[in-house]
Amino acid sequence: MIGSVILNVLLAGLTVSAAAIDLQARSALTSCLTTTSVTIQSPGQPGFATASRAFNRRFTYTPAAITYPTTAQQVASIVKCGAAQGLSVTARSGGHSYAAFGLGGENNHVVVDLSHMKTITIADGVHAVTQTGVRLGELAEYIWEHGQRALPHGTCPYVGVGGHTAYGGFGLYGRKAGLLLDRAVSAEVVLANGAIVTASATVNSDLYFALRGAAPSYGIVTAWTYRTDPAPTSLINYEIDFPNDKTNFTHSVQVLEAFQAFALSNPDPNLSALMPIGFVDSKHLNIIIQGTYYGTTAQFHTAIAPLTKALSSIAPTVSTQPPANWRTGTIFQTGSWDVSAPDETDHFFAKSLTANSALTSTLNYNNWVTWLLAHGGSSVGWFVQVDMYGGFISTIPSTATAYTSRSDVLNFQFYGSSGNNAFPTTGSGLANGITFMDAMVSNLQQTVVHACAFISAPGEITTFVSFG
């Protein structure tokens, strides 16, 4: 339960609306923000259009103002200014929200852009105090260079640590070491009344519980403190390919069922596995299984053997990279940790389904593969990525954090993109990109025994647990 004092504060600040702003209110907001000594961008100013551009360019919102604080005290002042004008205040860490929640998900929010808050310190060699303007690539680079430390997190270096920690960000190291939020031992938080508090297992423990899985509902986290690991000394990156880089109907179903059975067995937690699926033609899909093993080559082959045995009739090719250290091996999968260049954006529509441990081994993928082969040649570029969960993640009680999906076995991410072109949201039937992606998901949902769908915006089911 959230403590009554904290709850009253939160409710007082979270009931404000994002109504249209008149000139008098806008002037009052600007005047108040000016007293905070933060950099401000307002509608109509040079650079505002770029600063307010969403990562998913299918969404276009106009904030009341975008602010760039450098301290928690300035964040608190911004929150008070927004509340004084009856405006919602929204934090933006890396800005990778699929539904543009970093801009508020609607017009006229006061955006607290945390990109100027990038300090990381490791005073004791173990705990990394990290401001929430830091990107995953920057965090990974820093803790490696300062003691060869590691944390579990996603593979996109541009994702911000703020939302990635808040929502349950998942990555290749997750089955071995948990989610990034599982490593957050404390947080510095600005509440809705402007108070700056610390939350941990011993201080504001109810708030600490809520922040790890639902942080945006309870305040703006300005710094997380993570308990880091010594980086694994040996990583084996691997890939399982199928003849001619394509699988027919029968083989596609066989691969999907074998991968599911393997995930249900909760294999060696040192093994990560993900399965990208794409369209080749009306008779073939392209399916790859890849991931990382945190150990030796011999240990990897032992861990993966049940899966390759189940696929032996298809004659898969298992290839491995030479053993590598943490930095080299991780960058092989993620690409460079450098985030100095501008981030890329996209026009896309995404959904996710997570299947929990009640999923049975008799799940039939026939209907779904039939649909993919019949309709996969859409004008929308798409892929499905299936991540294997379990391992250390499932050992943590569902009551330990606000992120409760500890029994998930598989996560399906459905991603449809139109690149630099507008996403097709008009037209009838499957010519409408959203209808197409909805149908792709619903045809799998019909076969799922137990599944959870994560909703991020009206009409959309999506989740940010994989790559945000």
Side-chain angles (χ1 to χ4, degrees), residues 136-381:
L136 295 181
E138 294 169 322
L139 175 61
E141 186 73 68
Y142 186 93
I143 63 176
W144 169 259
E145 293 295 339
H146 293 77
Q148 297 192 1
R149 310 293 294 182
L151 282 167
H153 53 69
T155 58
C156 179
Y158 282 88
V159 168
V161 302
H164 196 66
T165 310
Y167 289 117
F170 172 80
L172 294 170
Y173 195 39
R175 297 190 73 253
K176 170 67 174 176
L179 306 172
L180 187 55
L181 65 79
D182 295 325
R183 296 312 184 93
V185 299
S186 69
E188 177 185 72
V189 193
V190 177
L191 300 180
N193 68 343
I196 303 172
V197 302
T198 297
S200 70
T202 57
V203 179
N204 294 317
S205 58
D206 46 3
L207 180 60
Y208 175 60
F209 168 89
L211 293 176
R212 293 171 299 148
S217 296
Y218 296 94
I220 296 177
V221 177
T222 51
W224 294 103
T225 298
Y226 303 110
R227 186 184 71 257
T228 65
D229 278 342
T233 56
S234 176
L235 279 69
I236 308 297
N237 289 308
Y238 72 93
E239 184 168 299
I240 301 176
D241 298 289
F242 300 96
N244 302 313
D245 295 323
K246 58 186 180 182
T247 53
N248 61 24
F249 170 82
T250 301
H251 289 166
S252 295
V253 173
Q254 184 178 346
V255 173
L256 290 166
E257 291 184 335
F259 188 80
Q260 172 193 274
F262 185 62
L264 283 165
S265 72
N266 200 13
D268 185 344
N270 289 291
L271 180 73
S272 70
L274 58 90
M275 182 170 60
I277 303 169
F279 181 78
V280 176
D281 55 43
S282 61
K283 294 184 178 180
H284 300 92
L285 297 177
N286 175 246
I287 304 179
I288 299 170
I289 299 172
Q290 60 191 54
T292 302
Y293 186 84
Y294 301 94
T296 67
T297 303
Q299 290 170 330
F300 160 71
H301 284 292
T302 298
I304 203 71
L307 178 59
T308 55
K309 181 179 179 180
L311 298 171
S312 59
S313 63
I314 312 178
T317 300
V318 181
S319 57
T320 59
Q321 294 294 314
N325 64 26
W326 170 260
R327 189 181 192 281
T328 301
T330 302
I331 288 177
F332 178 85
Q333 289 282 13
T334 67
S336 173
W337 287 342
D338 182 16
V339 295
S340 59
D343 193 6
E344 296 181 358
T345 58
D346 193 8
H347 294 79
F348 66 93
F349 181 89
K351 290 191 170 188
S352 287
L353 289 174
T354 62
N356 64 27
S357 58
L359 195 66
T360 71
S361 59
T362 58
L363 176 64
N364 190 332
Y365 286 100
N366 289 358
N367 292 340
W368 190 53
V369 172
T370 297
W371 190 93
L372 291 178
L373 293 174
H375 304 290
S378 166
S379 60
V380 173

